Amino acid sequence: MRKSLRKPQTIYSATTVLWLIGMLAHCTWRTYAALSGPPSPDLYANHLSFQLVTFLVFLAPAWLIGLLVVLVVEFAVFGRKPNHSSKRTREKP
Protein backbone atom coordinates (compact mmCIF):
# COMPACT_ATOMS: atom_id res chain seq x y z
CA MET A 1 0.00 0.00 0.00
CA ARG A 2 2.74 2.45 0.89
CA LYS A 3 4.59 1.75 -2.33
CA SER A 4 1.53 2.68 -4.40
CA LEU A 5 1.36 6.06 -2.62
CA ARG A 6 4.84 6.90 -3.88
CA LYS A 7 4.04 6.35 -7.54
CA PRO A 8 4.13 9.59 -9.52
CA GLN A 9 0.69 8.96 -11.03
CA THR A 10 -0.81 8.70 -7.54
CA ILE A 11 0.84 11.95 -6.50
CA TYR A 12 -0.40 13.73 -9.64
CA SER A 13 -3.93 12.43 -9.09
CA ALA A 14 -3.94 13.48 -5.44
CA THR A 15 -2.68 16.95 -6.38
CA THR A 16 -5.41 17.33 -9.00
CA VAL A 17 -8.14 16.21 -6.57
CA LEU A 18 -6.89 18.60 -3.87
CA TRP A 19 -6.75 21.38 -6.45
CA LEU A 20 -10.34 20.70 -7.48
CA ILE A 21 -11.52 20.68 -3.85
CA GLY A 22 -9.69 23.97 -3.20
CA MET A 23 -11.10 25.61 -6.31
CA LEU A 24 -14.66 24.50 -5.51
CA ALA A 25 -14.30 25.74 -1.93
CA HIS A 26 -13.04 29.11 -3.16
CA CYS A 27 -15.88 29.35 -5.71
CA THR A 28 -18.45 28.50 -3.04
CA TRP A 29 -17.03 31.00 -0.56
CA ARG A 30 -16.80 33.78 -3.15
CA THR A 31 -20.31 33.17 -4.44
CA TYR A 32 -21.76 33.02 -0.93
CA ALA A 33 -19.94 36.22 0.04
CA ALA A 34 -21.19 38.04 -3.06
CA LEU A 35 -24.79 36.94 -2.69
CA SER A 36 -25.11 37.28 1.10
CA GLY A 37 -24.43 41.01 1.12
CA PRO A 38 -26.91 43.73 0.31
CA PRO A 39 -28.50 43.37 -3.12
CA SER A 40 -26.71 45.02 -5.99
CA PRO A 41 -28.56 47.65 -8.01
CA ASP A 42 -27.55 45.63 -11.08
CA LEU A 43 -30.12 42.86 -10.97
CA TYR A 44 -28.07 40.41 -13.02
CA ALA A 45 -25.29 40.49 -10.40
CA ASN A 46 -27.69 39.05 -7.82
CA HIS A 47 -28.00 35.71 -9.65
CA LEU A 48 -26.02 32.59 -8.93
CA SER A 49 -25.30 31.97 -12.63
CA PHE A 50 -23.69 35.39 -13.02
CA GLN A 51 -21.46 34.83 -10.00
CA LEU A 52 -20.37 31.42 -11.29
CA VAL A 53 -19.57 32.79 -14.75
CA THR A 54 -17.50 35.62 -13.29
CA PHE A 55 -15.58 33.11 -11.19
CA LEU A 56 -14.92 30.92 -14.22
CA VAL A 57 -13.81 33.86 -16.37
CA PHE A 58 -11.67 35.74 -13.88
CA LEU A 59 -10.44 33.33 -11.19
CA ALA A 60 -10.47 29.83 -12.68
CA PRO A 61 -7.59 30.64 -15.09
CA ALA A 62 -5.41 31.62 -12.13
CA TRP A 63 -6.29 28.35 -10.42
CA LEU A 64 -5.48 26.45 -13.61
CA ILE A 65 -2.10 28.14 -13.99
CA GLY A 66 -1.37 27.30 -10.35
CA LEU A 67 -2.21 23.64 -10.98
CA LEU A 68 0.03 23.53 -14.04
CA VAL A 69 2.94 25.06 -12.13
CA VAL A 70 2.54 22.57 -9.29
CA LEU A 71 2.29 19.62 -11.68
CA VAL A 72 5.39 20.72 -13.60
CA VAL A 73 7.34 20.97 -10.34
CA GLU A 74 6.05 17.57 -9.25
CA PHE A 75 7.01 16.07 -12.59
CA ALA A 76 10.51 17.51 -12.23
CA VAL A 77 10.84 16.07 -8.73
CA PHE A 78 8.95 12.77 -9.00
CA GLY A 79 9.09 12.21 -12.75
CA ARG A 80 10.83 9.50 -14.62
CA LYS A 81 14.30 8.77 -13.41
CA PRO A 82 16.88 7.20 -15.69
CA ASN A 83 17.28 3.48 -15.21
CA HIS A 84 20.99 2.98 -14.61
CA SER A 85 20.76 -0.80 -14.68
CA SER A 86 19.81 -0.87 -18.35
CA LYS A 87 22.57 1.29 -19.77
CA ARG A 88 23.48 0.38 -23.26
CA THR A 89 27.08 0.19 -24.14
CA ARG A 90 28.23 1.53 -27.42
CA GLU A 91 29.18 -0.99 -29.99
CA LYS A 92 32.60 -0.47 -31.39
CA PRO A 93 32.87 -0.86 -35.14
Side-chain angles (χ1 to χ4, degrees):
M1 178 73 176
R2 287 197 134 195
K3 192 162 184 114
S4 67
L5 293 177
R6 302 183 116 206
K7 291 172 58 176
Q9 292 80 12
T10 306
I11 295 170
Y12 304 149
S13 298
T15 300
T16 305
V17 168
L18 290 174
W19 169 84
L20 184 62
I21 291 170
M23 188 178 77
L24 289 175
H26 183 209
C27 181
T28 303
W29 172 77
R30 183 184 175 279
T31 303
Y32 178 75
L35 295 178
S36 65
S40 172
D42 299 321
L43 296 179
Y44 60 86
N46 297 327
H47 291 281
L48 179 65
S49 60
F50 177 79
Q51 296 300 324
L52 294 177
V53 168
T54 57
F55 182 85
L56 289 174
V57 169
F58 294 108
L59 295 173
W63 274 91
L64 186 59
I65 290 170
L67 173 66
L68 292 175
V69 167
V70 169
L71 287 177
V72 166
V73 169
E74 285 181 353
F75 186 75
V77 173
F78 303 115
R80 296 181 183 213
K81 305 283 189 236
N83 189 356
H84 298 294
S85 64
S86 67
K87 275 189 175 176
R88 292 184 183 179
T89 57
R90 275 182 144 184
E91 292 182 25
K92 294 183 181 178

